[in-house]
Amino acid sequence: MVRPSGLLTRQEEPVPLKSICVTLSIREFVAGVAATLNYENEEKFPLETFFVFPMDEDSAVYSFEAMVDGKTIKAELKDKKKAHIIYESAISHRHQAFLLEEDKCSRDVFCCNVGNLQPGSKVALTLKYVQELPLEADGALRYVLPAVLNPRYRCSGSPEDSCLDLKTPIVPLDDLPYAFSMTATVSSQHGIETIQSNCPLSPIEYLGDKKTSAQISLADGHKFDRDVELLIYYREVHTPSVAVELGNPKNNPDGLMKDPSAMVCFYPNIPEVEPSAICGEFVFLMDCSGSMQCPISKQDKSQLRIEAAKETLILLLKSLPVNCYFNIYAFGSSFEAFFPNSVKYTQDTMEEALRRVKLMRADLGGTEILTPLQVIYREPSTPGHPLQLFVFTDGEVTDTFSIIKEVRNHRLRHRCFSFGIGEGASTSLIKGIARVGGGTSEFITGKDRMQAKALRALKHALQPAVEDVSVNWDLPRGLSAKTLSPEQTVLYKGQRLIVYAQLTGTMLPEEGTGEVCLNYTLQGKSCENKVTFSLQPKLDDNFTIHRLAAKAFLQSMDIGFGETPAKTKKDVLKVSIDCGVISSHTAFIAINKDVNKPVQGPLACRDIPRPVLLCAAAPMPQCKRVGSARIFGCRHGSQPPPNIFQAMKLPVQDITPQELKDLDAGSWGFDLPTRAPPVFGETYLVQLISLQNADGSWDLDEDLARILGISLKDLWSALPVKDADSSSWATVLAVVWLHAKAKHQKCEWELLEKKARTWINSNAGSIKKKLVKAAIAFTKSSVDPAVFGI
């Protein structure tokens, strides 16, 4: 069942949380964040408050402190069970206490407890964390401050004392009782090209002649109604680098913090090669739970998650290589497979899959991924076709660690690529299964197109794996490097590799250098990347590199509060406590020992409300069409808070003929159709792709003619070679259309276009050149014949 997020706070109960202030510092590709929660008790009796909030799972939380009426109280990191005992004891003895912990079900959800907040008292709670910033395909570094915590679907067997069980009140944005602000500093020695955001910003202030620094802040009046996303473009983002950081031997005589740590960042130049003859088995696991009926984002005209997923599946199906095997699973509270077992990719199986994709609806209830995963893994492998698993979900689950464990247990027989759809998708789930499954993870929010990111992952899956990955150090005598982060076994073109290491031995007093080399093999060829670096470690009071190294270790070893083996748990606890980085087995606890006498009066509980976003904070509503709008009503008899689910205009998916003309400066020289063929609201591009055959060809028929805007009779008349295969002519025309009218979306169709050109080369033979020149002339387009290899 979906647990309710709670009732609205009664108006007579003031909310003790008054504001959230975030200070962000981004240096190169590492972010340091300080988030302060300001509380004030305006009531006449002591309070206990709870605040549940999301955080990216890559975040290494290393500090938690309270400023109580001008006095600073530093929290200690302890075993989670001991921390809870201390907190409950303090509360029962009427002492002020503060607790910060990860959720037991997911490492990207945190709960902050404030116990015995005295009447009239003001408290500022500050937590600090660091994280690596992921690299986008276009070279942008992406920072996201999560705002959205979607309700997670609870499966049987999930822990009952999860943070997500708290009856957190939900309110419309306009009634949110606390303010939010964020300021940021971005700096890079290579210079900043530009900074973009999905939220309104105050004017960005660039500093330095080469724009090596920038000051950013959210515009006044920002409502915390969406994840805050920054895309940062540096001038030389692909330069390899090594940073060495001083350790802290005085306070940490043993363990990871004692010695200097190094962070190595490689951007290996992995060439793109022709896919091997082994095609693979491709299994697509598609979320059809009720929440997939929500828009991807709150922005105007945002596509529904399920519609974007269906369009993406069509593109993936058309882009699969000939002779591969595939299957599709739709899941929710139950699941259904398109075929009993993976089937060979043929015209018949592809058409059957397309038919069922078009019938898919977000109507399968809750989000239960584990069972269909287990069924997929139980299926026998297809000999000679390694399994490639693609998981599409909005990630609203509570059994995160069980799912990650299941993928990890089968990591040797497959690769897993994951896609988080919409704001609030669990970063713990999406990143976790990709990390242990040797694939990549992507998040689709705002105006992102799922199609481009999914096709990029498919390109990775079709490429031969990089093998024998190793990092070798060349250091002066007496100095050695011990790798702290788990070795990455799979690399893809355009991917960044970060390695953490502990440097032990004698550091040179004078200026010295070391060298580190990344070695790997690709299709039997040896490749390497080298970088020389200074051995003079730098001081960082926050010990950023050490803590990121600890986080990398914890991500690989800490597989959940109830999942980590006892022997491993001992190592997890030691690294977590020694480095001050929170884990699923530890929690920050602080007791105000300056209060000489117990807090007086009965203790009242106050939960902190959070904003409700469209469809995000209540059980997924059903919808019915009323005119040009969808009106929402709730499943299972539950009612949404008033004034939340308003009538929404349907997202516009079609491109009008005039808009399509405007996409490209070139002219086809003929009129486009006045209306698109009725194929469940797709764009012309999706319609064209839907018509492609499994072998890569198109048929010369009325459907193709409608999309091209030419009568079928005229298309036949323009065939330049009598008695030529009409499919060759149709396929050439379709490829010309893609290059002329959809070149801005090339990343989405390049795989299926390549399949089409391969078919043309095999079937058009000696008349290929005539067909291509005739097609370009007939359509009056400016496409270069060289795209056909002419």
Side-chain angles (χ1 to χ4, degrees), residues 54-85:
M55 187 180 296
D56 192 290
E57 82 116 22
D58 286 336
S59 303
V61 180
Y62 66 88
S63 175
F64 181 57
E65 63 183 29
M67 179 75 73
V68 183
D69 299 326
K71 297 179 181 179
T72 301
I73 304 169
K74 184 84 173 174
E76 297 180 70
L77 190 62
K78 293 184 176 293
D79 181 294
K80 180 177 284 190
K81 291 182 179 180
K82 293 180 180 178
H84 272 265
I85 292 173

PDB file of all heavy atoms in Angstrom, residues 54-85:
ATOM      1  N   PRO A  54      14.881  14.852   1.225  1.00  0.00           N
ATOM      2  CA  PRO A  54      15.701  14.041   0.313  1.00  0.00           C
ATOM      3  C   PRO A  54      17.103  14.613   0.162  1.00  0.00           C
ATOM      4  O   PRO A  54      17.355  15.792   0.429  1.00  0.00           O
ATOM      5  CB  PRO A  54      14.932  14.157  -1.008  1.00  0.00           C
ATOM      6  CG  PRO A  54      14.329  15.530  -0.952  1.00  0.00           C
ATOM      7  CD  PRO A  54      14.012  15.792   0.492  1.00  0.00           C
ATOM      8  N   MET A  55      17.995  13.763  -0.279  1.00  0.00           N
ATOM      9  CA  MET A  55      19.374  14.174  -0.563  1.00  0.00           C
ATOM     10  C   MET A  55      19.954  13.191  -1.571  1.00  0.00           C
ATOM     11  O   MET A  55      19.618  12.005  -1.539  1.00  0.00           O
ATOM     12  CB  MET A  55      20.205  14.176   0.719  1.00  0.00           C
ATOM     13  CG  MET A  55      21.603  14.756   0.575  1.00  0.00           C
ATOM     14  SD  MET A  55      22.507  14.717   2.140  1.00  0.00           S
ATOM     15  CE  MET A  55      21.503  15.808   3.138  1.00  0.00           C
ATOM     16  N   ASP A  56      20.795  13.658  -2.456  1.00  0.00           N
ATOM     17  CA  ASP A  56      21.403  12.757  -3.433  1.00  0.00           C
ATOM     18  C   ASP A  56      22.187  11.674  -2.715  1.00  0.00           C
ATOM     19  O   ASP A  56      22.907  11.941  -1.750  1.00  0.00           O
ATOM     20  CB  ASP A  56      22.316  13.545  -4.375  1.00  0.00           C
ATOM     21  CG  ASP A  56      22.745  12.728  -5.574  1.00  0.00           C
ATOM     22  OD1 ASP A  56      23.542  11.782  -5.399  1.00  0.00           O
ATOM     23  OD2 ASP A  56      22.286  13.029  -6.689  1.00  0.00           O
ATOM     24  N   GLU A  57      22.078  10.443  -3.189  1.00  0.00           N
ATOM     25  CA  GLU A  57      22.706   9.323  -2.479  1.00  0.00           C
ATOM     26  C   GLU A  57      24.226   9.366  -2.533  1.00  0.00           C
ATOM     27  O   GLU A  57      24.889   8.705  -1.747  1.00  0.00           O
ATOM     28  CB  GLU A  57      22.191   7.993  -3.028  1.00  0.00           C
ATOM     29  CG  GLU A  57      22.852   7.506  -4.277  1.00  0.00           C
ATOM     30  CD  GLU A  57      23.602   6.206  -4.025  1.00  0.00           C
ATOM     31  OE1 GLU A  57      23.310   5.489  -3.067  1.00  0.00           O
ATOM     32  OE2 GLU A  57      24.515   5.921  -4.813  1.00  0.00           O
ATOM     33  N   ASP A  58      24.802  10.157  -3.418  1.00  0.00           N
ATOM     34  CA  ASP A  58      26.252  10.299  -3.470  1.00  0.00           C
ATOM     35  C   ASP A  58      26.781  11.257  -2.413  1.00  0.00           C
ATOM     36  O   ASP A  58      27.993  11.443  -2.290  1.00  0.00           O
ATOM     37  CB  ASP A  58      26.682  10.800  -4.854  1.00  0.00           C
ATOM     38  CG  ASP A  58      26.587   9.708  -5.911  1.00  0.00           C
ATOM     39  OD1 ASP A  58      26.634   8.532  -5.536  1.00  0.00           O
ATOM     40  OD2 ASP A  58      26.460  10.045  -7.099  1.00  0.00           O
ATOM     41  N   SER A  59      25.901  11.888  -1.656  1.00  0.00           N
ATOM     42  CA  SER A  59      26.313  12.880  -0.664  1.00  0.00           C
ATOM     43  C   SER A  59      26.987  12.204   0.530  1.00  0.00           C
ATOM     44  O   SER A  59      26.460  11.245   1.097  1.00  0.00           O
ATOM     45  CB  SER A  59      25.107  13.684  -0.183  1.00  0.00           C
ATOM     46  OG  SER A  59      24.443  14.309  -1.264  1.00  0.00           O
ATOM     47  N   ALA A  60      28.135  12.746   0.916  1.00  0.00           N
ATOM     48  CA  ALA A  60      28.835  12.269   2.108  1.00  0.00           C
ATOM     49  C   ALA A  60      28.580  13.281   3.229  1.00  0.00           C
ATOM     50  O   ALA A  60      29.228  14.328   3.307  1.00  0.00           O
ATOM     51  CB  ALA A  60      30.330  12.142   1.835  1.00  0.00           C
ATOM     52  N   VAL A  61      27.606  12.987   4.104  1.00  0.00           N
ATOM     53  CA  VAL A  61      27.259  13.875   5.207  1.00  0.00           C
ATOM     54  C   VAL A  61      28.285  13.670   6.314  1.00  0.00           C
ATOM     55  O   VAL A  61      28.420  12.564   6.838  1.00  0.00           O
ATOM     56  CB  VAL A  61      25.837  13.595   5.720  1.00  0.00           C
ATOM     57  CG1 VAL A  61      25.488  14.540   6.864  1.00  0.00           C
ATOM     58  CG2 VAL A  61      24.829  13.732   4.585  1.00  0.00           C
ATOM     59  N   TYR A  62      28.985  14.759   6.694  1.00  0.00           N
ATOM     60  CA  TYR A  62      30.086  14.593   7.643  1.00  0.00           C
ATOM     61  C   TYR A  62      29.972  15.503   8.868  1.00  0.00           C
ATOM     62  O   TYR A  62      30.812  15.408   9.783  1.00  0.00           O
ATOM     63  CB  TYR A  62      31.427  14.850   6.951  1.00  0.00           C
ATOM     64  CG  TYR A  62      31.625  16.278   6.487  1.00  0.00           C
ATOM     65  CD1 TYR A  62      32.172  17.241   7.330  1.00  0.00           C
ATOM     66  CD2 TYR A  62      31.273  16.661   5.207  1.00  0.00           C
ATOM     67  CE1 TYR A  62      32.352  18.550   6.904  1.00  0.00           C
ATOM     68  CE2 TYR A  62      31.453  17.964   4.773  1.00  0.00           C
ATOM     69  CZ  TYR A  62      31.999  18.898   5.625  1.00  0.00           C
ATOM     70  OH  TYR A  62      32.180  20.195   5.201  1.00  0.00           O
ATOM     71  N   SER A  63      28.987  16.375   8.908  1.00  0.00           N
ATOM     72  CA  SER A  63      28.886  17.282  10.049  1.00  0.00           C
ATOM     73  C   SER A  63      27.435  17.612  10.334  1.00  0.00           C
ATOM     74  O   SER A  63      26.635  17.809   9.417  1.00  0.00           O
ATOM     75  CB  SER A  63      29.668  18.577   9.777  1.00  0.00           C
ATOM     76  OG  SER A  63      29.495  19.509  10.823  1.00  0.00           O
ATOM     77  N   PHE A  64      27.114  17.665  11.626  1.00  0.00           N
ATOM     78  CA  PHE A  64      25.779  18.048  12.068  1.00  0.00           C
ATOM     79  C   PHE A  64      25.943  18.782  13.391  1.00  0.00           C
ATOM     80  O   PHE A  64      26.560  18.265  14.329  1.00  0.00           O
ATOM     81  CB  PHE A  64      24.900  16.809  12.236  1.00  0.00           C
ATOM     82  CG  PHE A  64      23.494  17.105  12.678  1.00  0.00           C
ATOM     83  CD1 PHE A  64      22.676  17.944  11.943  1.00  0.00           C
ATOM     84  CD2 PHE A  64      22.977  16.524  13.832  1.00  0.00           C
ATOM     85  CE1 PHE A  64      21.367  18.203  12.341  1.00  0.00           C
ATOM     86  CE2 PHE A  64      21.673  16.775  14.234  1.00  0.00           C
ATOM     87  CZ  PHE A  64      20.866  17.621  13.487  1.00  0.00           C
ATOM     88  N   GLU A  65      25.461  20.020  13.455  1.00  0.00           N
ATOM     89  CA  GLU A  65      25.606  20.783  14.681  1.00  0.00           C
ATOM     90  C   GLU A  65      24.389  21.659  14.915  1.00  0.00           C
ATOM     91  O   GLU A  65      23.631  21.966  13.976  1.00  0.00           O
ATOM     92  CB  GLU A  65      26.876  21.642  14.658  1.00  0.00           C
ATOM     93  CG  GLU A  65      26.896  22.704  13.581  1.00  0.00           C
ATOM     94  CD  GLU A  65      28.207  23.477  13.577  1.00  0.00           C
ATOM     95  OE1 GLU A  65      29.241  22.894  13.958  1.00  0.00           O
ATOM     96  OE2 GLU A  65      28.193  24.663  13.181  1.00  0.00           O
ATOM     97  N   ALA A  66      24.197  22.036  16.158  1.00  0.00           N
ATOM     98  CA  ALA A  66      23.053  22.860  16.535  1.00  0.00           C
ATOM     99  C   ALA A  66      23.545  24.147  17.193  1.00  0.00           C
ATOM    100  O   ALA A  66      24.437  24.117  18.050  1.00  0.00           O
ATOM    101  CB  ALA A  66      22.146  22.098  17.505  1.00  0.00           C
ATOM    102  N   MET A  67      22.953  25.250  16.778  1.00  0.00           N
ATOM    103  CA  MET A  67      23.179  26.530  17.434  1.00  0.00           C
ATOM    104  C   MET A  67      21.923  26.829  18.242  1.00  0.00           C
ATOM    105  O   MET A  67      20.867  27.154  17.687  1.00  0.00           O
ATOM    106  CB  MET A  67      23.436  27.622  16.403  1.00  0.00           C
ATOM    107  CG  MET A  67      23.649  29.001  17.009  1.00  0.00           C
ATOM    108  SD  MET A  67      25.272  29.219  17.786  1.00  0.00           S
ATOM    109  CE  MET A  67      26.316  29.321  16.335  1.00  0.00           C
ATOM    110  N   VAL A  68      22.019  26.678  19.569  1.00  0.00           N
ATOM    111  CA  VAL A  68      20.865  26.840  20.451  1.00  0.00           C
ATOM    112  C   VAL A  68      21.027  28.133  21.227  1.00  0.00           C
ATOM    113  O   VAL A  68      21.892  28.234  22.105  1.00  0.00           O
ATOM    114  CB  VAL A  68      20.728  25.650  21.422  1.00  0.00           C
ATOM    115  CG1 VAL A  68      19.485  25.808  22.285  1.00  0.00           C
ATOM    116  CG2 VAL A  68      20.697  24.343  20.661  1.00  0.00           C
ATOM    117  N   ASP A  69      20.206  29.109  20.888  1.00  0.00           N
ATOM    118  CA  ASP A  69      20.242  30.400  21.575  1.00  0.00           C
ATOM    119  C   ASP A  69      21.667  30.929  21.700  1.00  0.00           C
ATOM    120  O   ASP A  69      22.111  31.377  22.769  1.00  0.00           O
ATOM    121  CB  ASP A  69      19.582  30.293  22.956  1.00  0.00           C
ATOM    122  CG  ASP A  69      18.128  29.875  22.865  1.00  0.00           C
ATOM    123  OD1 ASP A  69      17.467  30.279  21.893  1.00  0.00           O
ATOM    124  OD2 ASP A  69      17.659  29.152  23.765  1.00  0.00           O
ATOM    125  N   GLY A  70      22.412  30.826  20.594  1.00  0.00           N
ATOM    126  CA  GLY A  70      23.765  31.364  20.556  1.00  0.00           C
ATOM    127  C   GLY A  70      24.851  30.391  20.955  1.00  0.00           C
ATOM    128  O   GLY A  70      26.045  30.702  20.813  1.00  0.00           O
ATOM    129  N   LYS A  71      24.524  29.191  21.407  1.00  0.00           N
ATOM    130  CA  LYS A  71      25.526  28.201  21.816  1.00  0.00           C
ATOM    131  C   LYS A  71      25.594  27.078  20.788  1.00  0.00           C
ATOM    132  O   LYS A  71      24.573  26.538  20.375  1.00  0.00           O
ATOM    133  CB  LYS A  71      25.172  27.633  23.190  1.00  0.00           C
ATOM    134  CG  LYS A  71      25.177  28.679  24.304  1.00  0.00           C
ATOM    135  CD  LYS A  71      24.794  28.055  25.631  1.00  0.00           C
ATOM    136  CE  LYS A  71      24.768  29.096  26.743  1.00  0.00           C
ATOM    137  NZ  LYS A  71      24.381  28.504  28.046  1.00  0.00           N
ATOM    138  N   THR A  72      26.814  26.707  20.398  1.00  0.00           N
ATOM    139  CA  THR A  72      27.015  25.666  19.388  1.00  0.00           C
ATOM    140  C   THR A  72      27.178  24.305  20.056  1.00  0.00           C
ATOM    141  O   THR A  72      27.987  24.150  20.983  1.00  0.00           O
ATOM    142  CB  THR A  72      28.254  25.965  18.526  1.00  0.00           C
ATOM    143  OG1 THR A  72      28.076  27.224  17.879  1.00  0.00           O
ATOM    144  CG2 THR A  72      28.453  24.888  17.479  1.00  0.00           C
ATOM    145  N   ILE A  73      26.422  23.333  19.557  1.00  0.00           N
ATOM    146  CA  ILE A  73      26.510  21.966  20.055  1.00  0.00           C
ATOM    147  C   ILE A  73      26.878  21.074  18.878  1.00  0.00           C
ATOM    148  O   ILE A  73      26.122  20.961  17.908  1.00  0.00           O
ATOM    149  CB  ILE A  73      25.179  21.506  20.667  1.00  0.00           C
ATOM    150  CG1 ILE A  73      24.739  22.473  21.769  1.00  0.00           C
ATOM    151  CG2 ILE A  73      25.298  20.091  21.211  1.00  0.00           C
ATOM    152  CD1 ILE A  73      23.324  22.242  22.234  1.00  0.00           C
ATOM    153  N   LYS A  74      28.026  20.455  18.946  1.00  0.00           N
ATOM    154  CA  LYS A  74      28.514  19.590  17.873  1.00  0.00           C
ATOM    155  C   LYS A  74      28.015  18.173  18.093  1.00  0.00           C
ATOM    156  O   LYS A  74      28.160  17.593  19.166  1.00  0.00           O
ATOM    157  CB  LYS A  74      30.043  19.595  17.855  1.00  0.00           C
ATOM    158  CG  LYS A  74      30.675  18.814  16.725  1.00  0.00           C
ATOM    159  CD  LYS A  74      30.774  19.611  15.461  1.00  0.00           C
ATOM    160  CE  LYS A  74      31.578  18.852  14.409  1.00  0.00           C
ATOM    161  NZ  LYS A  74      31.569  19.537  13.118  1.00  0.00           N
ATOM    162  N   ALA A  75      27.396  17.601  17.058  1.00  0.00           N
ATOM    163  CA  ALA A  75      26.882  16.238  17.174  1.00  0.00           C
ATOM    164  C   ALA A  75      28.002  15.226  16.982  1.00  0.00           C
ATOM    165  O   ALA A  75      28.990  15.487  16.288  1.00  0.00           O
ATOM    166  CB  ALA A  75      25.781  16.007  16.149  1.00  0.00           C
ATOM    167  N   GLU A  76      27.833  14.058  17.587  1.00  0.00           N
ATOM    168  CA  GLU A  76      28.774  12.949  17.426  1.00  0.00           C
ATOM    169  C   GLU A  76      28.144  11.875  16.548  1.00  0.00           C
ATOM    170  O   GLU A  76      26.933  11.655  16.589  1.00  0.00           O
ATOM    171  CB  GLU A  76      29.132  12.356  18.782  1.00  0.00           C
ATOM    172  CG  GLU A  76      29.851  13.290  19.729  1.00  0.00           C
ATOM    173  CD  GLU A  76      30.169  12.606  21.039  1.00  0.00           C
ATOM    174  OE1 GLU A  76      31.048  11.709  21.072  1.00  0.00           O
ATOM    175  OE2 GLU A  76      29.507  12.933  22.053  1.00  0.00           O
ATOM    176  N   LEU A  77      28.984  11.230  15.766  1.00  0.00           N
ATOM    177  CA  LEU A  77      28.516  10.130  14.925  1.00  0.00           C
ATOM    178  C   LEU A  77      28.684   8.829  15.682  1.00  0.00           C
ATOM    179  O   LEU A  77      29.796   8.475  16.080  1.00  0.00           O
ATOM    180  CB  LEU A  77      29.305  10.102  13.613  1.00  0.00           C
ATOM    181  CG  LEU A  77      28.770   9.166  12.522  1.00  0.00           C
ATOM    182  CD1 LEU A  77      27.372   9.587  12.084  1.00  0.00           C
ATOM    183  CD2 LEU A  77      29.708   9.161  11.319  1.00  0.00           C
ATOM    184  N   LYS A  78      27.591   8.115  15.877  1.00  0.00           N
ATOM    185  CA  LYS A  78      27.633   6.888  16.659  1.00  0.00           C
ATOM    186  C   LYS A  78      26.873   5.773  15.951  1.00  0.00           C
ATOM    187  O   LYS A  78      26.139   6.021  14.987  1.00  0.00           O
ATOM    188  CB  LYS A  78      27.011   7.120  18.046  1.00  0.00           C
ATOM    189  CG  LYS A  78      27.798   8.067  18.935  1.00  0.00           C
ATOM    190  CD  LYS A  78      27.172   8.158  20.312  1.00  0.00           C
ATOM    191  CE  LYS A  78      28.007   9.022  21.242  1.00  0.00           C
ATOM    192  NZ  LYS A  78      29.319   8.396  21.543  1.00  0.00           N
ATOM    193  N   ASP A  79      27.074   4.570  16.434  1.00  0.00           N
ATOM    194  CA  ASP A  79      26.264   3.446  15.986  1.00  0.00           C
ATOM    195  C   ASP A  79      24.795   3.851  16.085  1.00  0.00           C
ATOM    196  O   ASP A  79      24.356   4.410  17.094  1.00  0.00           O
ATOM    197  CB  ASP A  79      26.562   2.230  16.872  1.00  0.00           C
ATOM    198  CG  ASP A  79      25.770   1.001  16.452  1.00  0.00           C
ATOM    199  OD1 ASP A  79      24.523   1.028  16.579  1.00  0.00           O
ATOM    200  OD2 ASP A  79      26.376   0.009  16.025  1.00  0.00           O
ATOM    201  N   LYS A  80      24.016   3.582  15.041  1.00  0.00           N
ATOM    202  CA  LYS A  80      22.635   4.062  14.980  1.00  0.00           C
ATOM    203  C   LYS A  80      21.809   3.566  16.166  1.00  0.00           C
ATOM    204  O   LYS A  80      21.018   4.331  16.752  1.00  0.00           O
ATOM    205  CB  LYS A  80      21.982   3.630  13.670  1.00  0.00           C
ATOM    206  CG  LYS A  80      20.543   4.100  13.525  1.00  0.00           C
ATOM    207  CD  LYS A  80      19.940   3.710  12.188  1.00  0.00           C
ATOM    208  CE  LYS A  80      20.445   4.602  11.076  1.00  0.00           C
ATOM    209  NZ  LYS A  80      19.685   4.396   9.810  1.00  0.00           N
ATOM    210  N   LYS A  81      21.960   2.326  16.554  1.00  0.00           N
ATOM    211  CA  LYS A  81      21.172   1.799  17.671  1.00  0.00           C
ATOM    212  C   LYS A  81      21.513   2.533  18.963  1.00  0.00           C
ATOM    213  O   LYS A  81      20.627   2.885  19.760  1.00  0.00           O
ATOM    214  CB  LYS A  81      21.414   0.300  17.819  1.00  0.00           C
ATOM    215  CG  LYS A  81      20.842  -0.534  16.680  1.00  0.00           C
ATOM    216  CD  LYS A  81      21.070  -2.020  16.907  1.00  0.00           C
ATOM    217  CE  LYS A  81      20.478  -2.853  15.776  1.00  0.00           C
ATOM    218  NZ  LYS A  81      20.701  -4.302  15.981  1.00  0.00           N
ATOM    219  N   LYS A  82      22.808   2.796  19.191  1.00  0.00           N
ATOM    220  CA  LYS A  82      23.220   3.514  20.393  1.00  0.00           C
ATOM    221  C   LYS A  82      22.710   4.953  20.352  1.00  0.00           C
ATOM    222  O   LYS A  82      22.280   5.497  21.381  1.00  0.00           O
ATOM    223  CB  LYS A  82      24.750   3.504  20.516  1.00  0.00           C
ATOM    224  CG  LYS A  82      25.339   2.131  20.781  1.00  0.00           C
ATOM    225  CD  LYS A  82      26.854   2.206  20.895  1.00  0.00           C
ATOM    226  CE  LYS A  82      27.457   0.820  21.155  1.00  0.00           C
ATOM    227  NZ  LYS A  82      28.952   0.882  21.211  1.00  0.00           N
ATOM    228  N   ALA A  83      22.752   5.560  19.158  1.00  0.00           N
ATOM    229  CA  ALA A  83      22.292   6.940  19.020  1.00  0.00           C
ATOM    230  C   ALA A  83      20.814   7.049  19.370  1.00  0.00           C
ATOM    231  O   ALA A  83      20.388   8.007  20.041  1.00  0.00           O
ATOM    232  CB  ALA A  83      22.547   7.442  17.602  1.00  0.00           C
ATOM    233  N   HIS A  84      20.016   6.067  18.963  1.00  0.00           N
ATOM    234  CA  HIS A  84      18.588   6.091  19.276  1.00  0.00           C
ATOM    235  C   HIS A  84      18.348   5.923  20.777  1.00  0.00           C
ATOM    236  O   HIS A  84      17.471   6.587  21.351  1.00  0.00           O
ATOM    237  CB  HIS A  84      17.868   4.991  18.497  1.00  0.00           C
ATOM    238  CG  HIS A  84      17.415   5.403  17.136  1.00  0.00           C
ATOM    239  ND1 HIS A  84      16.146   5.862  16.877  1.00  0.00           N
ATOM    240  CD2 HIS A  84      18.087   5.464  15.949  1.00  0.00           C
ATOM    241  CE1 HIS A  84      16.043   6.161  15.588  1.00  0.00           C
ATOM    242  NE2 HIS A  84      17.215   5.933  15.005  1.00  0.00           N
ATOM    243  N   ILE A  85      19.128   5.061  21.398  1.00  0.00           N
ATOM    244  CA  ILE A  85      18.979   4.862  22.853  1.00  0.00           C
ATOM    245  C   ILE A  85      19.314   6.157  23.587  1.00  0.00           C
ATOM    246  O   ILE A  85      18.604   6.568  24.518  1.00  0.00           O
ATOM    247  CB  ILE A  85      19.891   3.714  23.330  1.00  0.00           C
ATOM    248  CG1 ILE A  85      19.392   2.375  22.757  1.00  0.00           C
ATOM    249  CG2 ILE A  85      19.948   3.665  24.853  1.00  0.00           C
ATOM    250  CD1 ILE A  85      20.322   1.209  23.020  1.00  0.00           C
TER     251      ILE A  85
END
